[in-house]
Coordinates of all heavy atoms in Angstrom, one line a residue:
C1 N 11.0 -22.8 4.5 CA 10.1 -21.7 4.9 C 10.2 -21.5 6.4 O 10.0 -22.5 7.2 CB 8.6 -22.0 4.5 SG 7.5 -20.6 5.0
H2 N 10.5 -20.3 6.8 CA 10.7 -20.0 8.3 C 9.6 -19.1 8.8 O 9.7 -18.5 9.8 CB 12.0 -19.3 8.4 CG 13.2 -20.1 8.1 ND1 13.7 -21.2 8.9 CD2 13.9 -20.2 6.9 CE1 14.7 -21.8 8.3 NE2 14.9 -21.2 7.1
G3 N 8.4 -19.1 8.1 CA 7.2 -18.4 8.7 C 7.3 -16.9 8.4 O 8.1 -16.4 7.7
L4 N 6.4 -16.2 9.1 CA 6.2 -14.8 8.8 C 7.3 -13.9 9.4 O 7.7 -14.1 10.5 CB 4.9 -14.3 9.4 CG 3.6 -14.7 8.6 CD1 2.4 -14.2 9.4 CD2 3.6 -14.2 7.2
H5 N 7.7 -13.0 8.6 CA 8.7 -12.0 9.0 C 8.3 -10.6 8.3 O 7.6 -10.6 7.4 CB 10.1 -12.4 8.6 CG 10.6 -13.6 9.4 ND1 10.2 -14.8 9.1 CD2 11.5 -13.7 10.4 CE1 10.8 -15.7 10.0 NE2 11.6 -15.0 10.7
A6 N 8.9 -9.6 8.9 CA 8.5 -8.2 8.4 C 9.6 -7.7 7.5 O 10.8 -7.8 7.8 CB 8.4 -7.3 9.6
F7 N 9.1 -7.1 6.4 CA 10.0 -6.6 5.3 C 9.6 -5.2 5.0 O 8.4 -4.8 4.9 CB 10.0 -7.4 4.1 CG 10.4 -8.8 4.3 CD1 9.4 -9.8 4.7 CD2 11.7 -9.2 4.1 CE1 9.8 -11.1 4.9 CE2 12.1 -10.6 4.3 CZ 11.1 -11.5 4.7
L8 N 10.6 -4.3 4.9 CA 10.3 -2.9 4.4 C 10.3 -2.9 2.9 O 11.4 -3.1 2.3 CB 11.3 -1.9 5.0 CG 11.1 -0.4 4.7 CD1 9.8 0.0 5.3 CD2 12.2 0.4 5.1
V9 N 9.2 -2.6 2.3 CA 9.1 -2.6 0.9 C 8.7 -1.3 0.2 O 7.6 -0.7 0.6 CB 7.9 -3.7 0.4 CG1 7.9 -3.8 -1.1 CG2 8.3 -5.1 1.0
P10 N 9.6 -0.7 -0.5 CA 9.2 0.6 -1.3 C 8.1 0.2 -2.3 O 8.2 -0.8 -3.0 CB 10.4 1.0 -2.0 CG 11.6 0.2 -1.3 CD 11.0 -1.0 -0.8
I11 N 7.0 1.0 -2.3 CA 5.9 0.7 -3.2 C 5.6 1.9 -4.2 O 5.0 1.6 -5.2 CB 4.6 0.4 -2.4 CG1 4.2 1.5 -1.5 CG2 4.7 -0.9 -1.7 CD1 2.9 1.3 -0.9
R12 N 6.2 3.1 -3.9 CA 5.9 4.2 -4.8 C 7.2 4.9 -4.9 O 8.1 5.0 -4.0 CB 4.9 5.1 -4.3 CG 3.4 4.5 -4.4 CD 2.4 5.6 -3.9 NE 1.0 5.0 -3.9 CZ 0.3 5.1 -5.0 NH1 0.7 5.7 -6.1 NH2 -0.9 4.6 -5.0
D13 N 7.5 5.5 -6.1 CA 8.6 6.3 -6.4 C 8.7 7.5 -5.5 O 7.7 8.3 -5.3 CB 8.6 6.8 -7.9 CG 9.9 7.4 -8.3 OD1 10.3 8.4 -7.8 OD2 10.6 6.8 -9.2
M14 N 9.8 7.7 -4.9 CA 10.0 8.8 -3.9 C 9.9 10.2 -4.5 O 9.6 11.2 -3.9 CB 11.3 8.7 -3.1 CG 11.4 7.4 -2.3 SD 10.6 7.5 -0.7 CE 11.8 8.3 0.3
S15 N 10.1 10.2 -5.8 CA 10.2 11.6 -6.5 C 8.8 12.0 -7.1 O 8.5 13.2 -7.1 CB 11.2 11.6 -7.6 OG 10.9 10.6 -8.6
N16 N 8.0 11.0 -7.6 CA 6.8 11.4 -8.3 C 5.6 10.6 -7.7 O 4.5 10.8 -8.2 CB 6.9 11.2 -9.8 CG 7.3 9.7 -10.1 OD1 7.0 8.8 -9.4 ND2 7.8 9.6 -11.3
H17 N 5.8 9.7 -6.8 CA 4.7 8.9 -6.1 C 4.1 7.9 -7.0 O 3.0 7.3 -6.6 CB 3.7 9.9 -5.5 CG 3.0 9.4 -4.3 ND1 3.7 9.0 -3.1 CD2 1.7 9.1 -4.0 CE1 2.8 8.6 -2.2 NE2 1.6 8.7 -2.7
Q18 N 4.6 7.6 -8.1 CA 4.1 6.6 -9.0 C 4.4 5.2 -8.5 O 5.5 5.0 -7.9 CB 4.6 6.8 -10.4 CG 4.2 8.0 -11.2 CD 2.7 7.9 -11.6 OE1 2.2 6.8 -11.8 NE2 2.0 9.0 -11.6
P19 N 3.5 4.2 -8.7 CA 3.9 2.8 -8.3 C 5.1 2.4 -8.9 O 5.3 2.6 -10.1 CB 2.6 2.0 -8.6 CG 1.5 3.0 -8.7 CD 2.2 4.3 -9.2
L20 N 5.9 1.6 -8.2 CA 7.2 1.1 -8.7 C 7.0 -0.2 -9.5 O 5.8 -0.7 -9.4 CB 8.1 0.8 -7.5 CG 8.7 2.0 -6.7 CD1 9.3 1.5 -5.4 CD2 9.6 2.8 -7.6
P21 N 7.9 -0.5 -10.3 CA 7.7 -1.7 -11.1 C 7.3 -3.0 -10.3 O 8.0 -3.2 -9.2 CB 9.1 -1.9 -11.8 CG 9.6 -0.5 -11.9 CD 9.1 0.1 -10.6
G22 N 6.4 -3.7 -10.7 CA 6.0 -5.0 -10.0 C 5.0 -4.7 -8.9 O 4.5 -5.6 -8.3
V23 N 4.7 -3.4 -8.7 CA 3.7 -3.1 -7.6 C 2.4 -2.7 -8.1 O 2.3 -1.7 -8.9 CB 4.3 -1.9 -6.7 CG1 3.3 -1.5 -5.7 CG2 5.6 -2.4 -6.0
V24 N 1.3 -3.4 -7.8 CA 0.0 -3.0 -8.2 C -0.7 -2.6 -6.9 O -0.9 -3.3 -6.0 CB -0.8 -4.2 -8.8 CG1 -2.2 -3.8 -9.2 CG2 0.0 -4.7 -10.0
V25 N -1.1 -1.3 -6.8 CA -1.6 -0.7 -5.5 C -2.7 0.2 -5.8 O -2.8 0.9 -6.8 CB -0.5 0.0 -4.7 CG1 0.1 1.2 -5.6 CG2 -0.9 0.4 -3.4
G26 N -3.7 0.2 -4.9 CA -4.8 1.1 -5.1 C -5.8 1.1 -3.9 O -5.5 0.4 -2.8
D27 N -6.9 1.8 -4.0 CA -7.9 2.0 -2.9 C -8.9 0.9 -3.0 O -9.3 0.6 -4.2 CB -8.5 3.3 -3.0 CG -9.6 3.6 -2.0 OD1 -9.2 3.8 -0.8 OD2 -10.8 3.4 -2.3
I28 N -9.4 0.3 -1.9 CA -10.4 -0.8 -2.0 C -11.8 -0.4 -2.1 O -12.7 -1.2 -2.3 CB -10.3 -1.8 -0.8 CG1 -10.7 -1.0 0.5 CG2 -8.9 -2.3 -0.7 CD1 -10.8 -2.0 1.7
G29 N -12.1 1.0 -2.1 CA -13.5 1.5 -2.3 C -14.1 1.8 -1.0 O -13.6 1.6 0.1
P30 N -15.4 2.3 -1.1 CA -16.1 2.7 0.1 C -16.4 1.6 1.1 O -16.5 0.4 0.7 CB -17.5 3.2 -0.4 CG -17.2 3.5 -1.9 CD -16.1 2.6 -2.3
K31 N -16.5 1.9 2.4 CA -16.6 1.0 3.4 C -17.8 1.4 4.4 O -18.5 2.4 4.1 CB -15.3 0.9 4.3 CG -14.1 0.6 3.4 CD -12.8 0.9 4.1 CE -12.6 2.4 4.4 NZ -12.3 3.2 3.2
F32 N -18.1 0.7 5.4 CA -19.1 1.0 6.4 C -18.9 2.4 7.0 O -19.8 3.1 7.4 CB -19.1 -0.1 7.5 CG -20.2 0.1 8.4 CD1 -21.5 0.2 8.0 CD2 -20.0 -0.1 9.8 CE1 -22.6 0.3 9.0 CE2 -21.0 0.0 10.7 CZ -22.3 0.2 10.3
G33 N -17.6 2.7 7.1 CA -17.2 4.0 7.7 C -15.8 4.3 7.2 O -15.4 3.9 6.0
F34 N -15.0 5.1 7.9 CA -13.6 5.4 7.5 C -13.5 6.0 6.1 O -12.7 5.7 5.3 CB -12.7 4.1 7.5 CG -12.3 3.7 8.9 CD1 -13.2 3.4 10.0 CD2 -10.9 3.7 9.2 CE1 -12.7 3.1 11.2 CE2 -10.5 3.3 10.5 CZ -11.4 3.0 11.5
D35 N -14.4 6.9 5.8 CA -14.5 7.5 4.5 C -13.2 8.3 4.1 O -12.9 8.6 3.0 CB -15.7 8.4 4.3 CG -17.0 7.5 4.2 OD1 -16.9 6.4 3.8 OD2 -18.1 8.1 4.7
E36 N -12.6 8.8 5.2 CA -11.4 9.6 5.0 C -10.1 8.8 4.7 O -9.1 9.4 4.4 CB -11.2 10.6 6.2 CG -12.3 11.5 6.5 CD -13.6 10.8 7.1 OE1 -13.4 9.8 7.8 OE2 -14.6 11.3 6.8
V37 N -10.2 7.5 4.9 CA -9.0 6.7 4.9 C -8.9 5.9 3.6 O -9.9 5.3 3.2 CB -8.9 5.7 6.1 CG1 -7.6 4.9 6.0 CG2 -8.9 6.6 7.4
D38 N -7.7 5.9 2.9 CA -7.6 5.1 1.7 C -7.1 3.7 2.0 O -5.9 3.3 1.7 CB -6.6 5.8 0.8 CG -5.2 6.2 1.5 OD1 -5.3 6.5 2.7 OD2 -4.2 6.1 0.8
N39 N -8.0 2.9 2.6 CA -7.7 1.6 2.8 C -7.4 0.9 1.5 O -8.1 1.1 0.5 CB -8.8 0.8 3.5 CG -9.1 1.3 4.9 OD1 -9.8 2.3 5.1 ND2 -8.5 0.6 5.9

């Protein structure tokens, strides 16, 4: 193990925006603020 490194990872299909195989992705829900942002 060589520690943290940065990787570019495709997470959604470029043609239809659907999550790619093996990718589980979504919004974490309402927060104290930042209502416009899909954290």
